[in-house]
Amino acid sequence: MDNLLLNTFSRKIRAYLPELWRKVSKDEFSVERKTGYKDIVTSVDLEIEDRLRVFLHDLFPEADYLGEESGSDVRSSTMWIVDPVDGTTNFSKSNPHYSTQIALYSENRVVLAVTYDHNRKETFHAIKGQGAYLNNKRIWVSKTGDLREATSHVGMQYSSETAFERITRRINRAIKICRGLRITGSACLDFAYVASGRADIFWEETLKPWDVASGVLLVKEAGGYVGSCVEESFDLFSPNVLVANNSPELVKEFREKVLYD
């Protein structure tokens, strides 16, 4: 896809997201369950997704749309992949750690990524082959090579009992080995933090494409590693993810001491 077009898309998305968040009502909203008491959606999620779907269609009518709150079965060669509010539970509790992620998928890869944190006024963005940026300043992954000096982020998924049991064993090992372990509640920001050097490692199982699409490109363009936290190849549409900085030693040590039973 033409770089000039991608840059135009990125610039317009980054300008639109702060405007969008100013328009939605963040003080009065409803909360509903989706698949269970841990899996919720708010009226803000739905409003932002509705507005983004219209905006992105107008921006690039040829692209299909895959969003968390609608169209979850869409699979197309060219499509927007959107999470309107990543960290909905945080948002519902007025915990200001959540984000909006938009990625453009084309020709079997993510070519454009934007992750927006409106509370901190931070916009992470990347275009394939052009590097990763935070508020237009180039970012890079950390240089940490020793697991004892590493900060590791992890997500706790509720959709798979097998994954839950495995992840708790891994968390126990990571607590003993890593300098710090964090569970933040927003996978999209966990990716962005690895890309910007704020975290050294992030892993989580049984995610969805809208949890990872933007972050995968951010980490790659920041010089980092993207793989799977289970013994399989990384799959954007069924992601079990491990991302880290560019230290092969750190990734190897983490796999051997934390991931492998």
Side-chain angles (χ1 to χ4, degrees):
M1 186 171 291
D2 181 74
N3 281 335
L4 180 61
L5 189 63
L6 290 174
N7 277 283
T8 299
F9 289 164
S10 178
R11 184 176 65 254
K12 290 184 176 181
I13 292 168
R14 287 181 281 127
Y16 179 69
L17 285 173
E19 174 188 341
L20 172 60
W21 271 99
R22 283 193 295 268
K23 289 179 178 178
V24 300
S25 174
K26 296 177 286 295
D27 299 320
E28 297 181 7
F29 57 87
S30 61
V31 180
E32 297 179 6
R33 294 183 183 182
K34 293 199 291 185
T35 60
Y37 72 97
K38 292 183 179 181
D39 186 15
I40 62 172
V41 63
T42 73
S43 55
V44 172
D45 294 73
L46 299 174
E47 180 180 356
I48 288 179
E49 177 141 324
D50 287 343
R51 289 176 181 265
L52 280 175
R53 184 162 38 191
V54 172
F55 171 78
L56 294 170
H57 175 76
D58 291 344
L59 186 63
F60 189 23
E62 293 81 2
D64 288 316
Y65 183 94
L66 173 62
E68 178 176 9
E69 309 307 337
S70 62
S72 59
D73 295 327
V74 173
R75 182 74 73 91
S76 172
S77 60
T78 302
M79 61 183 172
W80 297 105
I81 303 177
V82 175
D83 193 338
V85 183
D86 180 65
T88 297
T89 298
N90 284 349
F91 172 79
S92 73
K93 292 294 186 180
S94 298
N95 178 337
H97 192 78
Y98 51 87
S99 60
T100 298
Q101 85 94 44
I102 299 172
L104 180 59
Y105 177 83
S106 178
E107 299 176 356
N108 299 312
R109 60 187 182 181
V110 178
V111 295
L112 179 155
V114 179
T115 297
Y116 176 63
D117 177 349
H118 92 97
N119 290 295
R120 298 176 181 84
K121 302 298 185 284
E122 291 187 335
T123 304
F124 300 85
H125 79 274
I127 291 173
K128 185 169 178 58
Q130 297 186 27
Y133 297 83
L134 166 56
N135 292 347
N136 295 314
K137 183 178 180 180
R138 187 74 182 267
I139 55 174
W140 303 93
V141 294
S142 73
K143 297 181 179 180
T144 305
D146 187 337
L147 192 57
R148 294 172 299 177
E149 299 175 359
T151 298
S152 174
H153 287 211
V154 61
M156 289 289 289
Q157 272 294 330
Y158 45 80
S159 57
S160 168
E161 191 64 30
T162 300
F164 179 81
E165 293 172 358
R166 182 165 52 219
I167 202 72
T168 51
R169 294 197 303 271
R170 290 173 168 181
I171 285 173
N172 184 55
R173 292 194 288 263
I175 289 172
K176 296 175 181 177
I177 298 171
C178 298
R179 175 170 289 170
L181 181 73
R182 303 287 182 265
I183 303 175
T184 71
S186 173
C188 294
L189 287 178
D190 288 323
F191 276 98
Y193 284 13
V194 171
S196 58
R198 295 176 179 175
D200 304 298
I201 299 166
F202 167 60
W203 92 97
E204 187 167 355
E205 296 188 35
T206 63
L207 288 169
K208 299 294 184 180
W210 48 79
D211 297 314
V212 308
S214 176
V216 164
L217 185 61
L218 286 171
V219 171
K220 286 182 178 178
E221 289 295 318
Y225 167 85
V226 176
S228 174
C229 63
V230 298
E231 295 186 72
E232 64 184 23
S233 299
F234 174 75
D235 180 353
L236 181 70
F237 295 97
S238 183
N240 297 292
V241 68
L242 169 65
V243 295
N245 63 20
N246 61 357
S247 168
E249 294 80 13
L250 183 69
V251 173
K252 182 175 183 291
E253 188 178 10
F254 187 80
R255 287 191 181 281
E256 291 176 349
K257 295 183 177 180
V258 175
L259 297 186
Y260 295 155
D261 290 325

